[in-house]
Amino acid sequence: MASRGLKVLPSGRAGRGRLYVNLPDGRAVAWYDRRANRISVLADERREEILTALRPYLTGTVAIGPPPVPTPAELLRLSLPPDEDLAPNRPGEALIGALTHGAAGARARHRLRQELTARQRMGEVLDALAESEDWRVLHSVGGIADHLLIGPPGVFCIRTVQGRRQRTSVGDLLLTVGRTDPTPDPRTARRAAAYATYALSAPVTPVLAVVDATRLEVTPTLRDVRVLTPPTAARFLQDTPTTLKPPEMETLYATARDRRTWLVAR
């Protein structure tokens, strides 16, 4: 929504997080924190314009004033152009585009739809975690991760696998679904986590998320790559020991959501 040149943009998927009021060049002049029900104004001379732009989103009694002293993560967010922000990405963003613009052949489209379903199902689980202030999630990250999750236990680079309602086995190097040829998903997950570790300058755990397998077998020697399913993911992540403090999480999230972070890494 726009009001006299101001644009209101969410800091993530619609309905979550903050709403930022930006100038046409992408610079923020205010934000509305829905959890705190507070508007932080950066350009007081535009206060009335800002209130007009935000009015459709406001509920109850809203506090208005200058922002608190910004954290380093907030400074990164304020300097991030909207076109470079990965936070609004949906699960399977690239697959949605491929299906929308057409893929060659019915078989290819069916495979894309299966993969999209897997990413969306895992995305729902991760988004539910992100409803809490303790977790941050990004989807479709720079061609590197299907999902990137940042929380108290650390950073997790997640690759989804469609089990296609068949027996799925995961080894140290290969993954097999039913009777299809093995694929190098464990190695791909490791490489993706290595990219993320370099880009973020922080340890990143590789994760394979297997969706819709009738039976999942994981070799006991596979210890560096976590293998999860949508029903087990939340409990595992919440039970993992804490390694990050909230300011560290926010700084990592601010860095990870910048598309340019991943271009430099590659």
Side-chain angles (χ1 to χ4, degrees):
M1 180 175 180
S3 175
R4 286 195 283 178
L6 299 183
K7 295 182 179 181
V8 177
L9 297 172
S11 61
R13 287 157 298 286
R16 298 173 183 157
R18 293 176 174 177
L19 291 174
Y20 281 84
V21 183
N22 292 350
L23 295 171
D25 64 5
R27 287 181 295 136
V29 293
W31 68 80
Y32 172 42
D33 189 327
R34 282 177 279 200
R35 289 193 177 101
N37 211 21
R38 186 182 192 280
I39 299 173
S40 294
V41 178
L42 295 169
D44 196 61
E45 70 278 7
R46 292 180 175 266
R47 178 179 290 228
E48 292 305 317
E49 294 177 67
I50 291 166
L51 290 176
T52 299
L54 285 172
R55 189 163 288 121
Y57 308 97
L58 304 180
T59 58
T61 303
V62 180
I64 305 172
V69 176
T71 64
E74 194 60 58
L75 289 173
L76 284 174
R77 168 62 188 93
L78 294 172
S79 65
L80 179 61
D83 289 346
E84 303 294 348
D85 191 358
L86 297 176
N89 282 3
R90 297 163 292 178
E93 189 78 36
L95 299 181
I96 293 172
L99 286 167
T100 300
H101 298 294
R107 180 175 294 181
R109 291 184 63 82
H110 177 68
R111 185 170 60 252
L112 286 175
R113 281 193 291 267
Q114 284 187 319
E115 293 176 5
L116 176 59
T117 297
R119 296 185 193 186
Q120 289 174 332
R121 284 197 56 194
M122 195 63 201
E124 290 174 359
V125 173
L126 300 177
D127 285 341
L129 277 175
E131 291 286 357
S132 160
E133 293 186 8
D134 294 336
W135 296 87
R136 300 291 181 266
V137 64
L138 295 168
H139 304 293
S140 306
V141 178
I144 293 172
D146 295 336
H147 317 279
L148 191 80
L149 185 68
I150 301 170
V155 184
F156 300 87
C157 186
I158 303 172
R159 178 179 178 83
T160 56
V161 176
Q162 174 56 260
R164 301 197 298 273
R165 302 189 185 281
Q166 298 184 56
R167 173 179 169 272
T168 301
S169 60
V170 186
D172 291 307
L173 301 177
L174 299 172
L175 178 146
T176 305
V177 176
R179 297 182 179 180
T180 60
D181 291 336
T183 55
D185 288 276
R187 286 178 286 178
T188 303
R190 290 187 185 97
R191 287 196 299 269
Y195 272 126
T197 296
Y198 173 74
L200 300 176
S201 299
V204 178
T205 300
V207 176
L208 285 175
V210 182
V211 179
D212 286 337
T214 55
R215 182 178 177 183
L216 177 61
E217 298 176 352
V218 181
T219 183
T221 56
L222 183 65
R223 297 177 181 175
D224 61 326
V225 179
R226 304 296 185 184
V227 182
L228 305 176
T229 65
T232 65
R235 176 172 293 181
F236 165 78
L237 293 166
Q238 289 170 334
D239 289 346
T240 303
T242 295
T243 62
L244 294 178
K245 297 177 180 179
E248 295 171 320
M249 289 169 45
E250 291 303 325
T251 298
L252 286 168
Y253 179 63
T255 303
R257 66 190 293 177
D258 188 338
R259 190 187 311 275
R260 296 165 296 186
T261 295
W262 307 102
L263 295 177
V264 171
R266 302 191 77 173

